[in-house]
Amino acid sequence: MLRSLCATSSDKEFTIDLYQKMLRYRLFEERVNLAYTKQKFSGFCHLHIGQEAVCAGIGACLTKDDYVIASYRSHTQALNKGISPEQVFAELFGKASGCSAGKGGSMHMFSREHRFMGGHGIVGSQVPIATGIAFAIRYRQEKLVAICYLGDGAMNQGQIYEAFNMASLWKLPVIFVIENNQYGMGTDYHRVTSVSEFTSRAPGFNLPWRVIDGMNVLTVYQEFLPIITEVRAKMLPYLVEMKTYRYLGHSVSDPATYRSKEELSHYRQNDPLSQMADYLKGKGFAREDEFEQWDNDIRAEINAAEVRAEAAAAPDEASVDEHVFVD
Amino acid sequence: MSIKTFREALNEAMAEEMARDNSVFLMGEEVAQYDGAYKVSKGLLAKFGAERVIDTPISEAGFAGLGVGAAMAGLRPIIEMMTWNFAIQAFDQIINHAAKMCYMSGGQFNIPLVFRGPNGAAHMLGAQHSQNLDPLLVNVPGLKIVSVSTPADGKGLLKSAIRDNNPVIFFESEMMYGMKGEVPDGEYLIPLGVADIKRPGTEVTLLTWGKITHLALRAANQLANDENIDVEVIDLRSLVPLDEALIYASVRKTHRVVIVEENWPYASVGSHLAERIQWHCFDDLDAPIAKISQRAVPIPYADNLEHAALPQVEQVIAAVKAVCYR
Ligand SMILES: Cc1ncc(C[n+]2csc(CCOP(=O)(O)OP(=O)(O)O)c2C)c(N)n1
Ligand SMILES: [Mg+2]
């Protein structure tokens, strides 16, 4: 245990903030789910419910200038990096005010301003790109880190190993974070993976590695902070596996019948939000009624964001031809 | 005849060919336990077992290459690509290996392999999930290319594709899997390279293939009703080999051609068709050939932008009227 959790704020403030972030992600995704089922938008929609501790905990270790890149399951990572709920909603609704001008959609949130380098739709393809971002960091000798989220399913894509090799060979400051939620669509990763300890692949590339309980946000934060500090200081890549779980189907249209109720309820008992709520109560940092208040406040904030996003204008049809190139 | 959905028709084609020939197997992401991402392989695992219906990791380059090797060694793989967008990962194996093995081995190693899956835009799936890859692959010698628009054609052509001794690219569409149509009962095969007149007509030849055939038919029916123009709609079904004889015969009858494609316009399949027709039927043409393609942009997400990027009925109608000078 670190003596003080965070150098810049009290333990109370810091842990309440972590809890509220996760709550915001949970409520946001629930609202998105509802909007999708009400057919307010279309396409694919992959939610992060159950996995909130990973990006909240890692987010607390990042600076504003660090880079984050992710897969198509990245609404909450986009929020974590500073994109507003309204802009994410607007993107989902295909509005001009969306963070990708309505051209990306659920799978392609982007923000140059917030250094959110995209949601990417091709499994594993963000991994070489993250490596390139880290190359730029080293090239300019900056004290920055590139965070690359990928899934357990992505771990069987060939191109990521080309990236691992180059990242290690050229000492690039990138942290490959496997969000191991145990399934790639309907496939339990054990069924399609010869050696199921993903981190056993790291030594072959001389990549330092770590496995972290991704259901507990304090654990994520406390174990990730020394890693990122080392990566920043020494300029080297790292492989981190977060053990986590998605509560819902792969996308909103997947009923997830391939897993047992028992399995799901086991993870729900380790819910990242309840774990953190217990912690806050145990420490005397928050009372029961405060939780209710936060819930109400954040809900109101998210609902308002959704309403504004829905009311926003669709992109001008002429913009269909814009952005193929820049001048 | 019985009414079947597209996915049922494709499923039957695979089941029948697997029952007929032990060397046929199906491999791809989610094809076994999940019954296929779009449920096209429903029940095949139960019928044929895990040796012949195989779930893969998300390793397109790997299992496409595995298919090529298995075909070289005498098996007849069906490799399902969850969508063709993801098959881009496997283009090295498809283009550098599957397409060329027969030729560069002096005819010793033919590749009896089907790569199949949905192609083209669906609805609001964004730029990386909405691509139509016909033009990229028709350009490569050594690949046969099929793109189907009805359950019956799906069944008859998939069976022929599986029996073909060459690599066949088989394009489907996730928008059509639930579509119903009449499918002949019993053994039903359609040879590759034979186009189909989906709507006979006398005044304009409309060339199309794949999912957008249905849009072309809607336009043709509207033109008959509203403008009294009789359009012949030809569904090419097979892009390689191409049924040139049927195309030229129709053009010599109608003297006017509109091509409707879901391709990007630059160097598209339609570009090739236009080149062939002007060469073979120059004196028969009464108007320049019109081509309706999708816009030359990555397919955008927003509903209105996607609508603007993809070909629409009104554009087809306008093009037909234009070649009729109306
Ligand atoms: C190259 C490629 N193949 C297949 C797909 C279809 N697909 C989308 S998500 C997915 C599963 C990925 O699982 P994982 O990496 O574990 O991420 P998770 O969805 O669990 O976050 C698949 C197969 C794709 N998008 N890209
Ligand atoms: Mg996963």
Side-chain angles (χ1 to χ4, degrees), chain B residues 52-63:
Chain B
R52 296 183 66 195
V53 182
I54 303 149
D55 277 330
T56 63
I58 310 171
S59 309
E60 287 84 0
F63 63 78

Side-chain angles (χ1 to χ4, degrees), chain A residues 25-277:
Chain A
Y25 306 153
R26 173 76 51 96
L27 296 176
F28 182 84
E29 292 286 64
E30 284 177 0
R31 196 74 198 172
V32 169
N33 197 4
L34 190 67
Y36 190 90
T37 44
K38 285 186 177 165
Q39 299 183 329
K40 291 189 184 182
F41 68 102
S42 187
F44 292 138
C45 179
H46 311 85
L47 302 175
H48 247 141
I49 296 178
Q51 304 180 213
E52 296 88 351
V54 176
C55 95
I58 290 178
C61 305
L62 300 181
T63 68
K64 191 171 100 330
D65 291 337
D66 288 330
Y67 296 89
V68 172
I69 189 166
S71 75
Y72 46 83
R73 189 185 304 285
S74 58
H75 303 163
T76 63
Q77 290 150 351
L79 296 177
N80 184 274
K81 204 62 185 65
I83 305 179
S84 74
E86 182 177 341
Q87 279 181 301
V88 177
F89 262 127
E91 190 56 37
L92 292 172
F93 295 152
K95 300 303 177 89
S97 56
C99 58
S100 305
K103 285 188 164 148
S106 168
M107 298 191 283
H108 307 298
M109 303 290 166
F110 283 88
S111 171
R112 176 176 278 279
E113 178 192 352
H114 297 290
R115 298 201 169 175
F116 187 71
M117 311 304 276
H120 297 268
I122 303 302
V123 170
S125 60
Q126 72 275 26
V127 178
I129 299 172
T131 307
I133 293 166
F135 180 88
I137 295 172
R138 170 173 273 282
Y139 195 85
R140 290 192 295 249
Q141 291 292 313
E142 294 162 332
K143 286 277 165 237
L144 298 173
V145 177
I147 303 291
C148 175
Y149 290 105
L150 64 153
D152 47 284
M155 281 299 283
N156 290 319
Q157 270 292 10
Q159 60 177 319
I160 74 171
Y161 297 98
E162 300 181 12
F164 285 2
N165 181 50
M166 290 185 284
S168 180
L169 182 66
W170 296 322
K171 303 250 171 303
L172 306 179
V174 51
I175 307 180
F176 304 109
V177 180
I178 310 165
E179 284 187 278
N180 184 354
N181 60 10
Q182 310 203 33
Y183 291 89
M185 287 189 128
T187 303
D188 182 328
Y189 74 97
H190 297 93
R191 286 209 288 121
V192 288
T193 309
S194 54
V195 176
S196 52
E197 288 74 31
F198 287 128
T199 48
S200 72
R201 301 174 189 184
F205 297 98
N206 197 23
L207 277 179
W209 58 271
R210 183 88 178 228
V211 182
I212 298 177
D213 171 10
M215 297 300 275
N216 186 305
V217 70
L218 275 184
T219 310
V220 171
Y221 171 72
Q222 288 179 316
E223 299 200 12
F224 199 81
L225 190 60
I227 292 172
I228 196 170
T229 308
E230 187 184 345
V231 167
R232 209 183 290 284
K234 296 193 193 152
M235 286 225 178
L236 47 81
Y238 225 103
L239 180 67
V240 175
E241 178 181 359
M242 295 284 181
K243 296 276 194 194
T244 181
Y245 199 75
R246 70 166 150 75
Y247 289 178
L248 303 181
H250 167 71
S251 65
V252 175
S253 54
D254 167 27
T257 48
Y258 40 80
R259 60 185 186 190
S260 68
K261 285 207 177 70
E262 293 72 42
E263 183 180 296
L264 178 59
S265 74
H266 166 78
Y267 282 96
R268 280 190 182 275
Q269 275 157 21
N270 290 311
D271 182 69
L273 281 145
S274 345
Q275 285 196 53
M276 199 55 187

Side-chain angles (χ1 to χ4, degrees), chain B residues 68-315:
Chain B
V68 173
M72 289 178 78
L75 299 183
R76 305 183 78 86
I78 306 171
I79 303 291
E80 175 172 308
M81 292 295 177
M82 190 177 284
T83 79
W84 274 94
N85 303 285
F86 315 144
I88 297 174
Q89 299 277 339
F91 265 30
D92 174 62
Q93 288 297 343
I94 296 172
I95 296 174
N96 271 328
H97 303 276
K100 297 173 175 50
M101 204 66 77
C102 185
Y103 192 82
M104 68 187 184
S105 68
Q108 296 180 81
F109 288 103
N110 62 305
I111 307 294
L113 165 63
V114 177
F115 291 110
R116 50 157 287 271
N119 182 40
H123 182 221
M124 294 178 79
L125 297 187
Q128 293 182 329
H129 282 69
S130 307
Q131 303 172 88
N132 186 308
L133 303 186
D134 324 333
L136 297 184
L137 290 171
V138 293
N139 193 243
V140 180
L143 299 174
K144 295 192 177 181
I145 317 273
V146 174
S147 178
V148 288
S149 72
T150 67
D153 289 354
K155 177 164 181 185
L157 281 159
L158 183 53
K159 282 171 69 84
S160 296
I162 295 168
R163 290 190 201 181
D164 201 285
N165 287 324
N166 300 286
V168 180
I169 304 294
F170 199 90
F171 289 130
E172 305 160 11
S173 158
E174 57 263 63
M175 300 297 272
M176 290 196 296
Y177 287 135
M179 174 185 288
K180 288 186 178 153
E182 298 246 356
V183 180
D185 298 320
E187 183 84 329
Y188 178 62
L189 285 112
I190 300 170
L192 270 55
V194 179
D196 185 42
I197 300 177
K198 285 280 183 310
R199 181 190 196 285
T202 54
E203 290 172 286
V204 177
T205 296
L206 197 158
L207 300 175
T208 189
W209 59 95
K211 177 183 75 195
I212 201 167
T213 301
H214 298 281
L215 182 140
L217 284 166
R218 280 208 304 282
N221 290 336
Q222 229 165 291
L223 282 157
N225 290 337
D226 303 347
E227 306 288 340
N228 209 21
I229 302 178
D230 189 21
V231 178
E232 176 148 289
V233 178
I234 297 181
D235 175 0
L236 298 176
R237 299 200 293 201
S238 157
L239 304 177
V240 180
L242 183 65
D243 192 348
E244 296 193 33
L246 187 90
I247 297 171
Y248 303 150
S250 176
V251 175
R252 291 187 179 121
K253 177 174 71 177
T254 64
H255 313 293
R256 297 164 204 278
V257 182
V258 173
I259 298 162
V260 178
E261 61 182 4
E262 234 187 290
N263 296 175
W264 283 301
Y266 193 97
S268 66
V269 174
S271 310
H272 175 72
L273 295 172
E275 179 273 328
R276 293 282 76 197
I277 293 166
Q278 64 82 29
W279 183 253
H280 287 281
C281 307
F282 190 71
D283 291 334
D284 299 292
L285 289 170
D286 285 346
I289 298 167
K291 178 160 81 84
I292 301 296
S293 314
Q294 53 193 27
R295 285 185 96 81
V297 300
I299 305 303
Y301 167 77
D303 206 10
N304 66 332
L305 297 185
E306 187 182 43
H307 185 89
L310 297 177
Q312 303 298 335
V313 171
E314 308 76 61
Q315 287 166 279

